[in-house]
Amino acid sequence: MGGDLIMLQRFIFITTLCGMCLSSALASETQPRLVRVFGAAYLSEMKPLLDDFSDRNPDIDIQYKWMSSEDLDRYIRDQQKPQPDVTISSVMHLQLRLVNDGYALEHKRIHKRSSNVHELLPDWSQWRDELFGFSFEPAVVVFNKSFLEGKQIPTNRIELMSFIRRYSDEFMGKIGVYDIRKVGIGYLLWSFERQQARNYGQFLELFNLHYARTFDSSRDMLDALSSGEIVMAYNILGSYAQSWQQLNDDVSITSMSDYTPVIIRTAFINRTTKNVQGAQKFIDYILSSSGQWVMSEQTNMPPIRTDINSVNSASYMRQQYAEQLKPLPLDVRLLVFADESKRQIVITEWENALKDYD
């Protein structure tokens, strides 16, 4: 078989990339117990949720497969087999475009079970009862801790630009960014920043002058940061940065106080599912109080429910940093980012300005 398949109780992990074959037993469309969850979320973040869901639902086997957001989008559109029952990604514009193009099933049961459930799930966290946000994730700037010794950490983008200029020699060839041509979350955050930042052009110029480097994944960028290969990673999802920091005490995380982009990680039920009930149970679980508390206590994905007010929660962050946080809207405005002609404009501008990256 093309990849490793690991059984853990009732939880099936699949680490193969898009296109690798699955065993015929797992690929069978006739297994009523099986719920396939394909996601552009690292297994390390999803595992506590998957484990707890399995414990609560012994009649359901969960199969989780990681793919990059771009591969996941193509996989679903190309109708490759097997199709997932549930699709998860932080790349909001690709998720919303899939739903808008008819790849999702409507699911209203979560709102019907309790009169107050809808109030606990903010209106802005779902779209058309088809696309459901379940985490609220700021993008952050991460530094190599050794590099920061004796330096004052910048707290906003004006200070950050001055900081880069002041320590120009140390930043030369050591700024890391996502390659927006390949990384969906990188493209989305860069496009959003292009709309928000008055000093966007100055950042392009500074990154170009300092031979900033591009990376194909958060892990690669954070690994380069820990090793000292780079000294700053710009616009990393906070959940990944915090998970990395817990294992590697050589990075320092900061958010920009002028504005902090916030991504809403979303899930939807695929229209091709053969296990509608199982898929609905999984969506209900990740939006439930139980599932959201697991997120709060065992992952670095901030839960979205308003009745969870831990430090690692959307409710707490919105109370403490209301003026700073800039969530991307979970609505049709995202389709602008998904428009291919607009995407090409952003990428061409990025390539022209940062032509020395590689």
Side-chain angles (χ1 to χ4, degrees):
M1 191 172 66
D4 296 329
L5 187 64
I6 304 172
M7 293 292 297
L8 178 60
Q9 296 178 341
R10 295 176 302 278
F11 179 15
I12 306 166
F13 300 99
I14 297 182
T15 57
T16 54
L17 293 177
C18 174
M20 291 186 176
C21 63
L22 302 175
S23 69
S24 58
L26 289 177
S28 171
E29 298 289 347
T30 63
Q31 296 185 60
R33 291 173 55 95
L34 183 62
V35 173
R36 296 186 181 92
V37 180
F38 288 10
Y42 290 139
L43 178 59
S44 57
E45 291 299 320
M46 290 298 299
K47 187 177 182 299
L49 284 169
L50 298 165
D51 283 342
D52 189 57
F53 177 79
S54 290
D55 290 342
R56 293 171 182 273
N57 296 274
D59 58 325
I60 295 176
D61 289 332
I62 288 288
Q63 181 190 98
Y64 186 76
K65 183 175 183 177
W66 177 87
M67 294 184 186
S68 72
S69 58
E70 301 283 347
D71 284 345
L72 182 57
D73 184 73
R74 282 191 294 268
Y75 185 96
I76 292 172
R77 290 183 178 279
D78 292 346
Q79 292 293 288
Q80 297 183 46
K81 302 297 182 183
Q83 282 284 293
D85 300 296
V86 175
T87 298
I88 289 175
S89 178
S90 60
V91 185
M92 298 166 64
H93 67 293
L94 295 183
Q95 288 281 89
L96 191 128
R97 186 175 65 175
L98 282 168
V99 172
N100 191 61
D101 290 348
Y103 288 92
L105 284 182
E106 186 179 58
H107 177 43
K108 292 185 176 180
R109 292 180 64 194
I110 187 67
H111 302 315
K112 293 179 179 178
R113 289 182 182 173
S114 170
S115 60
N116 68 342
V117 165
H118 184 67
E119 297 173 5
L120 300 176
L121 294 169
D123 288 339
W124 48 261
S125 69
Q126 67 89 26
W127 190 59
R128 296 194 326 196
D129 291 317
E130 294 177 83
L131 185 61
F132 300 93
F134 65 97
S135 74
F136 187 81
E137 305 188 30
V140 297
V141 180
V142 191
F143 291 98
N144 177 283
K145 189 179 288 186
S146 296
F147 165 74
L148 289 177
E149 290 181 6
K151 301 179 178 73
Q152 185 172 349
I153 301 175
T155 61
N156 59 53
R157 284 170 179 77
I158 297 296
E159 291 181 4
L160 179 59
M161 287 192 296
S162 297
F163 188 70
I164 293 172
R165 293 186 183 107
R166 184 180 308 130
Y167 300 104
S168 181
D169 290 345
E170 294 179 70
F171 273 109
M172 199 64 66
K174 294 202 170 186
I175 297 173
V177 296
Y178 290 117
D179 187 334
I180 71 170
R181 297 163 297 191
K182 302 175 183 177
V183 184
I185 193 65
Y187 166 76
L188 179 59
L189 286 169
W190 195 269
S191 298
F192 185 69
E193 186 132 326
R194 185 173 177 264
Q195 290 183 345
Q196 296 290 318
R198 295 179 180 178
N199 43 25
Y200 169 77
Q202 293 173 284
F203 266 104
L204 282 176
E205 181 182 5
L206 269 180
F207 287 178
N208 186 25
L209 287 173
H210 290 85
Y211 299 94
R213 299 182 53 193
T214 60
F215 292 85
D216 293 351
S217 72
S218 301
R219 281 179 176 166
D220 288 347
M221 201 181 331
L222 289 166
D223 185 57
L225 192 66
S226 287
S227 69
E229 190 177 333
I230 60 174
V231 297
M232 183 183 81
Y234 188 74
N235 266 356
I236 291 269
L237 277 189
S239 56
Y240 295 153
Q242 288 171 9
S243 294
W244 187 271
Q245 187 182 51
Q246 288 169 359
L247 299 174
N248 304 272
D249 188 31
D250 48 20
V251 298
S252 178
I253 301 170
T254 187
S255 58
M256 297 289 101
S257 62
D258 48 341
Y259 70 88
T260 298
V262 180
I263 294 294
I264 300 170
R265 195 179 296 271
T266 61
F268 67 85
I269 299 173
N270 291 64
R271 69 179 181 188
T272 56
T273 181
K274 298 296 191 293
N275 190 350
V276 174
Q277 186 176 14
Q280 289 175 337
K281 281 186 177 181
F282 186 77
I283 293 291
D284 287 355
Y285 166 74
I286 62 175
L287 297 176
S288 71
S289 178
S290 298
Q292 294 267 293
W293 271 114
V294 168
M295 285 173 56
S296 175
E297 296 175 349
Q298 299 182 42
T299 83
N300 287 302
M301 296 184 293
I304 211 159
R305 284 174 65 107
T306 59
D307 58 337
I308 296 180
N309 200 37
S310 62
V311 174
N312 182 34
S313 71
S315 181
Y316 178 86
M317 286 189 286
R318 287 171 68 86
Q319 291 170 22
Q320 297 295 316
Y321 309 106
E323 298 302 317
Q324 176 178 335
L325 300 176
K326 298 291 183 185
L328 277 72
L330 188 59
D331 59 34
V332 292
R333 284 174 286 178
L334 286 173
L335 294 177
V336 172
F337 300 129
D339 180 82
E340 188 56 38
S341 61
K342 297 289 177 58
R343 181 177 184 274
Q344 202 51 55
I345 289 172
V346 173
I347 288 178
T348 299
E349 177 183 81
W350 182 85
E351 288 178 328
N352 289 340
L354 306 177
K355 56 190 175 186
D356 293 325
Y357 264 37
D358 297 327

